[in-house]
Amino acid sequence: MILRWATSADTEELATFNARLHSDTAEPDEWVYHWTKELMGSDHPTTNPADFTVVVDQSAGGRIVSSMNLISQTWSYEGIKFGLGRPEAVATEPNYRRKRLVRQQFEVIHALSAARGELMQAITGIPWYYRQFGYEMALDLSGGRRLYWPNLSKLEPGQTERFSLRPATLQDLTDLQRFYALACAYGPVARVRDETQWRYELQCEFFKSLSYHRFYLIEEIGDGAVGYIEAIPDRLDGPLVVRELAVRPDYSLRMVAEFLTRALRKLADEINQGRPPEKAVPYLGFSLGAAHPVYTALGQQLEKLLPSYAWFIRVADLAAFLRRIGPALEKRVENSPVAGHSGTLRINLYRQHLSLTFEGGKLTEVGSYEPTRLADGDALFPDLTFLHLLMGHRSLAELRYMFADCTARGERNTLLLETLFPPRPSSIAPLN
């Protein structure tokens, strides 16, 4: 067997391979088929054939028996940009499993990601599996609320709509970028969209593409745009799902959100004209993560909670990542009861020992220290539990409750850690 980079000549075979192995039924998954072809296409903004690894069996005619890829992106932490690599489409033929093929490909993909200067890797995937390769499920993925049609708010008699909803076009790019920045501010972690990515997503017309998006601008009638949403039907027989939403802070979110529910009901009616009655759009979904201001704005109109899953996160060099986000940590200190803090916080990860030194509230050094005993340090985090704190996925109190050997010593260190790493969920707008 040979491990090599893919080429454009592998496109059809690899797309068929992934569609078959990633399907939950006997039928190949069309979505995965088209996804693979898009990622290997010449016009994809982040990925090309050489970002795929393939293992081929020479004794079986050189056919592909295992593969994965790297989708390189830019993400941000409290507005601070960093490179991120997304290993995805991990698959191996059943007869070739348990031969360390995936592990060897991860070594190559991680090396490629590091060579590109990417400080983090993130995967969406099946439970547990990627923990074997240094990942922890430490960032919210999906989750949201449902609104059933009988719960729609109604206009008062004689009242007319103040807003309108229309599809966005390339000419609206400036407004979309402005509103997307508002959406990113709802959580600490976000994907950075450059103009190339915006154009790719706005121009994708193929419904079975994972890049298929439908952006809409919310406009005040007779005036300009006040917000945006991204909403699509969930495949061919599911609900209408809002995956991005932001409204200008000088407008009532409740007022705009109630208008949106009525406007999206009309959009659902249009979709239903192309569906049989038994497959009519059953409800409106808000897939905006574990927390979003619109959930509060719509209140009891939203009946069902959809729990979040999680991204698998890997940070090979925690010290380098903490240095990158240092300005964000300093800002959190500045706006807290520990403003102007000076001192060194020693974080014991048992196999690694980090020290964060502050002078007058400024992070002057991220280094390491030599422990004098196993539990030496101001805070202790077993395995990869610190990633939950870092990504805002869990609070210090939650981690202490879940893990008996996870703790912070003393009220001062506890307050400093809670200030540096407050729990705050994120909702990442995906690209493929």
Side-chain angles (χ1 to χ4, degrees):
M1 289 184 285
I2 293 176
L3 169 60
R4 62 171 173 82
W5 299 111
T7 69
S8 57
D10 298 309
T11 300
E12 185 61 35
E13 181 185 359
L14 191 53
T16 303
F17 170 86
N18 278 336
R20 179 167 50 84
L21 289 182
H22 286 278
S23 176
D24 293 327
T25 68
E27 294 297 318
D29 190 313
E30 276 189 89
W31 303 78
V32 175
Y33 174 85
H34 294 297
W35 177 43
T36 305
K37 296 194 78 170
E38 287 167 16
L39 291 173
M40 297 190 77
S42 60
D43 63 339
H44 196 275
T46 66
T47 313
N48 61 63
D51 293 319
F52 283 77
T53 55
V54 292
V55 177
V56 297
D57 187 346
Q58 295 292 79
S59 66
R63 72 186 181 95
I64 296 172
V65 298
S66 184
S67 179
M68 62 185 293
N69 75 327
L70 179 68
I71 304 172
S72 288
Q73 299 181 337
T74 300
W75 283 18
S76 65
Y77 187 100
E78 300 288 15
I80 299 169
K81 297 178 182 179
F82 63 92
L84 177 129
R86 285 187 54 193
E88 289 289 349
V90 181
T92 302
E93 291 280 9
N95 292 340
Y96 290 81
R97 292 172 186 170
R98 302 185 184 278
K99 300 181 185 295
R100 300 177 65 86
L101 301 183
V102 169
R103 185 170 295 277
Q104 291 185 54
Q105 290 174 89
F106 260 111
E107 291 175 2
V108 172
I109 290 295
H110 285 162
L112 175 61
S113 188
R116 291 175 175 174
E118 294 164 358
L119 295 178
M120 182 181 293
Q121 290 78 42
I123 303 175
T124 57
I126 57 178
W128 176 79
Y129 183 75
Y130 298 103
R131 295 181 188 272
Q132 301 174 89
F133 311 110
Y135 290 79
E136 178 73 5
M137 301 184 80
L139 180 66
D140 282 293
L141 172 62
S142 191
R145 304 287 191 276
R146 284 182 185 172
L147 186 148
Y148 293 99
W149 300 125
N151 290 351
L152 285 180
S153 64
K154 297 178 176 60
L155 291 172
E156 296 293 333
Q159 190 178 17
T160 59
E161 294 288 9
R162 178 179 171 183
F163 305 99
S164 64
L165 188 69
R166 68 166 177 85
T169 68
L170 284 172
Q171 285 66 46
D172 299 309
L173 191 52
T174 300
D175 278 336
L176 288 172
Q177 290 171 321
R178 177 163 54 97
F179 293 130
Y180 181 61
L182 292 176
C184 291
Y186 291 144
V189 185
R191 173 172 69 90
V192 177
R193 276 182 168 120
D194 61 20
E195 185 171 330
T196 302
Q197 292 180 27
W198 270 113
R199 290 181 178 277
Y200 186 84
E201 295 178 72
L202 281 164
Q203 293 176 307
C204 179
E205 297 291 338
F206 183 48
F207 178 70
K208 291 187 178 181
S209 165
L210 292 182
S211 299
Y212 181 82
H213 293 73
R214 280 297 173 265
F215 297 96
Y216 297 85
L217 283 181
I218 309 161
E219 296 179 318
E220 186 169 20
I221 295 174
D223 205 342
V226 303
Y228 91 116
I229 63 167
E230 195 275 320
I232 60 169
D234 186 10
R235 302 207 174 186
L236 300 175
D237 57 359
L240 183 60
V241 180
V242 176
R243 303 186 299 182
E244 298 179 43
L245 186 158
V247 173
R248 276 171 42 181
D250 54 334
Y251 278 79
S252 162
L253 179 56
R254 179 176 176 84
M255 180 191 303
V256 176
E258 288 188 326
F259 155 74
L260 271 177
T261 61
R262 295 188 293 268
L264 291 173
R265 177 57 203 257
K266 292 179 180 178
L267 180 58
D269 291 340
E270 294 175 12
I271 295 169
N272 288 339
Q273 292 177 12
R275 292 184 179 184
E278 66 273 13
K279 293 188 176 182
V281 177
Y283 57 83
L284 176 62
F286 288 90
S287 184
L288 299 167
H292 191 282
V294 78
Y295 303 157
T296 303
L298 289 174
Q300 295 183 356
Q301 293 181 54
L302 303 176
E303 286 190 24
K304 187 174 178 62
L305 169 66
L306 306 173
S308 297
Y309 191 55
W311 289 82
F312 285 92
I313 298 296
R314 174 181 180 266
V315 182
D317 189 342
L318 271 170
F321 187 79
L322 288 167
R323 291 187 195 102
R324 175 64 64 87
I325 67 168
L329 302 182
E330 292 174 353
K331 188 173 182 180
R332 288 172 176 174
V333 169
E334 179 184 349
N335 299 318
S336 79
V338 293
H341 173 76
S342 295
T344 297
L345 178 69
R346 298 176 304 155
I347 302 176
N348 187 339
L349 307 179
Y350 292 96
R351 293 177 177 173
Q352 183 181 0
H353 304 85
L354 297 172
S355 60
L356 278 63
T357 300
F358 289 86
E359 293 289 344
K362 299 298 182 183
L363 181 61
T364 57
E365 183 183 2
V366 179
S368 61
Y369 70 96
E370 288 294 330
T372 58
R373 62 187 189 281
L374 177 67
D376 185 16
D378 302 311
L380 297 91
F381 296 92
D383 299 325
L384 299 175
T385 54
F386 180 70
L387 292 178
H388 293 277
L389 200 69
L390 175 67
M391 306 306 289
H393 187 239
R394 294 288 182 263
S395 69
L396 178 60
E398 288 172 319
L399 290 175
R400 294 170 75 168
Y401 177 79
M402 294 164 63
F403 302 95
D405 52 354
C406 177
T407 189
R409 293 196 167 104
E411 187 174 353
R412 179 180 298 177
N413 291 323
T414 298
L415 179 58
L416 180 58
L417 276 167
E418 290 174 339
T419 297
L420 291 171
F421 307 108
R424 189 165 161 234
S426 300
S427 180
I428 311 297
L431 171 62
N432 290 128

